[in-house]
Amino acid sequence: MRKRGRFVLIRRICCGAAAVLLLGLGGCGDEKQIQTEMEYRQTGLERMDQGDYQGAIQSFHQALHERVGIVSNLEVDINFYKAYAQMEDGSTEDAIASYTAIIEYDDKNADAYYLRGCAYMSVGQAENAAKDFSQAASYNKDNGQMYAGIYEQLVSAGLLDDAAAYLEQGLKIKGDSAPACLSRGRLYFVSGDYEKAESELNAALDQKLATANLYLGRVFQAQGRNEDAQSYYEAYLKENPNDSAVLYELGQIAFEEGDYEQAVSWFQEGMACKNVINKRELWSGKIASYEYMGNFDAARQEMGAYLETYPNDGAAQREYLFLKSR
């Protein structure tokens, strides 16, 4: 799955879990243990935000050991974040184990099956991935977003016949409700049928489903219609102001259009969001924008701060040497 897709899915899963955490905590350990577990979780999020995935994994591990033998919505939430950090750290087998732990607790968790399938696919275990994708689809049959993700995974692996089957299955989602239109629009988008995607997404938007703005933005961005894409992304942000992935896309659009000052503004706004997972990309975009503006002092200052957070970024180290020579 493309990195942006992982941002969106992890944010959706974990924000949804956070909304019900307290419902699953009653009677599951004393308040002090729960508080300590939440503190380790927060530390893990902060370390992940800094790109310190090993540190984040350790914090999530400590959180999960606060109440050994107890599993609630909180532990599921932490395991999803832990698995994400493990994937980013290149510890794919460990991520698979984390998703497996979720499945052992909830053997109908479609998101866990889907993400474990993506992890299997990333290490070339296509057979295991196919089994997980099948399970994910069976437990969430009306989720067009998931069908789209599976389709993208299978296409990238060259399994075109299998991909086509999921696309066909997803497009069978019936009804004229806003969620049904959104799902079909997303599927048409990933298959490259932008005309049908636009039609379905507009039908969802007519029913006041604000999320349709996000995918309309992507439809137009894919066609190079940046002005239209920006308009829909901005409409989406009115309802979802902390979506750092969309703010990154807006920064990219401004950068491509040569409006580097506006690009800096979008990237900076994205970095200021809560629980940012793509801070590294946003920060790199901000530095590049300063460079293209000719503001090498700002670029040099930002790069110095960036390297304090990500000291092992070799490309950034080389760029910093160049900036110090300007």
Side-chain angles (χ1 to χ4, degrees), residues 140-205:
N140 205 344
K141 294 180 180 179
D142 296 326
N143 189 338
Q145 309 282 7
M146 185 168 290
Y147 285 119
I150 293 171
Y151 173 83
E152 288 181 310
Q153 283 284 314
L154 294 172
V155 167
S156 67
L159 303 173
L160 302 185
D161 290 341
D162 292 337
Y166 278 101
L167 180 64
E168 181 181 358
Q169 190 175 353
L171 289 173
K172 288 180 180 178
I173 295 172
K174 303 296 183 182
D176 296 322
S177 68
C181 292
L182 178 69
S183 293
R184 289 192 297 269
R186 168 80 166 110
L187 285 160
Y188 282 127
F189 165 64
V190 298
S191 67
D193 192 335
Y194 301 133
E195 184 176 350
K196 288 183 179 178
E198 185 179 349
S199 176
E200 292 283 2
L201 293 169
N202 275 319
L205 192 59

Side-chain angles (χ1 to χ4, degrees), residues 296 299-301 303-304 307 317-326:
F296 295 107
R300 183 168 53 249
Q301 183 177 353
M303 185 64 85
L307 284 170
Q317 291 172 355
R318 291 188 291 274
E319 187 67 15
Y320 192 38
L321 291 174
F322 164 75
L323 288 170
K324 287 196 291 188
S325 70
R326 302 294 295 183

Side-chain angles (χ1 to χ4, degrees), residues 242-281:
N242 280 303
D243 193 324
S244 62
V246 172
L247 288 161
Y248 176 78
E249 297 299 342
L250 283 166
Q252 287 291 90
I253 288 172
F255 187 91
E256 290 174 8
E257 297 295 318
D259 190 350
Y260 304 119
E261 186 174 348
Q262 181 61 61
V264 167
S265 179
W266 288 125
F267 291 135
Q268 182 61 46
E269 188 174 342
M271 290 172 66
C273 290
K274 296 178 182 178
N275 294 336
V276 182
I277 301 178
N278 60 334
K279 185 175 183 178
R280 191 167 184 168
E281 289 75 16

Side-chain angles (χ1 to χ4, degrees), residues 10-307:
I10 289 295
R11 181 165 47 247
R12 175 177 64 76
I13 293 168
C14 295
C15 287
V20 296
L21 281 179
L22 295 180
L23 296 177
L25 296 181
C28 293
D30 64 44
E31 293 182 6
K32 185 176 180 180
Q33 285 179 305
I34 293 170
Q35 181 61 35
T36 302
E37 187 173 4
M38 292 289 284
E39 289 172 358
Y40 278 129
R41 173 186 179 275
Q42 182 59 35
T43 299
L45 292 175
E46 291 170 358
R47 287 176 171 175
M48 194 161 66
D49 178 48
Q50 296 166 359
D52 179 10
Y53 296 112
Q54 290 187 9
I57 292 165
Q58 181 61 31
S59 293
F60 294 138
H61 182 73
Q62 289 173 303
L64 292 168
H65 272 69
E66 278 301 305
R67 300 189 300 157
V68 176
I70 295 173
V71 181
S72 70
N73 292 318
L74 176 57
E75 284 71 42
V76 171
D77 169 86
I78 292 169
N79 264 304
F80 270 119
Y81 275 123
K82 181 181 178 183
Y84 178 87
Q86 288 166 329
M87 287 293 292
E88 291 300 295
D89 190 51
S91 305
T92 307
E93 294 299 329
D94 291 337
I96 289 170
S98 294
Y99 290 129
T100 300
I102 297 171
I103 291 167
E104 288 174 349
Y105 168 68
D106 177 7
D107 63 1
K108 295 183 179 180
N109 192 311
D111 291 324
Y113 279 114
Y114 170 65
L115 288 167
R116 192 175 70 173
C118 293
Y120 277 132
M121 191 66 80
S122 72
V123 291
Q125 297 185 35
E127 185 175 347
N128 285 333
K131 290 178 182 177
D132 275 356
F133 290 152
S134 178
Q135 290 284 74
S138 70
Y139 292 130
N140 205 344
K141 294 180 180 179
D142 296 326
N143 189 338
Q145 309 282 7
M146 185 168 290
Y147 285 119
I150 293 171
Y151 173 83
E152 288 181 310
Q153 283 284 314
L154 294 172
V155 167
S156 67
L159 303 173
L160 302 185
D161 290 341
D162 292 337
Y166 278 101
L167 180 64
E168 181 181 358
Q169 190 175 353
L171 289 173
K172 288 180 180 178
I173 295 172
K174 303 296 183 182
D176 296 322
S177 68
C181 292
L182 178 69
S183 293
R184 289 192 297 269
R186 168 80 166 110
L187 285 160
Y188 282 127
F189 165 64
V190 298
S191 67
D193 192 335
Y194 301 133
E195 184 176 350
K196 288 183 179 178
E198 185 179 349
S199 176
E200 292 283 2
L201 293 169
N202 275 319
L205 192 59
D206 288 343
Q207 298 179 64
K208 311 300 181 185
L209 186 58
T211 308
N213 285 305
L214 170 62
Y215 294 102
L216 281 164
R218 291 180 180 171
V219 166
F220 290 122
Q221 188 178 9
Q223 299 175 80
R225 295 169 59 181
N226 286 344
E227 186 175 347
D228 291 325
Q230 179 176 335
S231 175
Y232 283 106
Y233 283 148
E234 289 179 351
Y236 171 77
L237 284 172
K238 290 179 181 178
E239 301 290 333
N240 303 272
N242 280 303
D243 193 324
S244 62
V246 172
L247 288 161
Y248 176 78
E249 297 299 342
L250 283 166
Q252 287 291 90
I253 288 172
F255 187 91
E256 290 174 8
E257 297 295 318
D259 190 350
Y260 304 119
E261 186 174 348
Q262 181 61 61
V264 167
S265 179
W266 288 125
F267 291 135
Q268 182 61 46
E269 188 174 342
M271 290 172 66
C273 290
K274 296 178 182 178
N275 294 336
V276 182
I277 301 178
N278 60 334
K279 185 175 183 178
R280 191 167 184 168
E281 289 75 16
L282 289 159
W283 208 343
S284 296
K286 182 181 178 182
I287 293 167
S289 298
Y290 276 132
E291 284 193 60
Y292 275 77
M293 287 169 62
N295 189 343
F296 295 107
D297 288 340
R300 183 168 53 249
Q301 183 177 353
E302 289 287 339
M303 185 64 85
Y306 173 94
L307 284 170

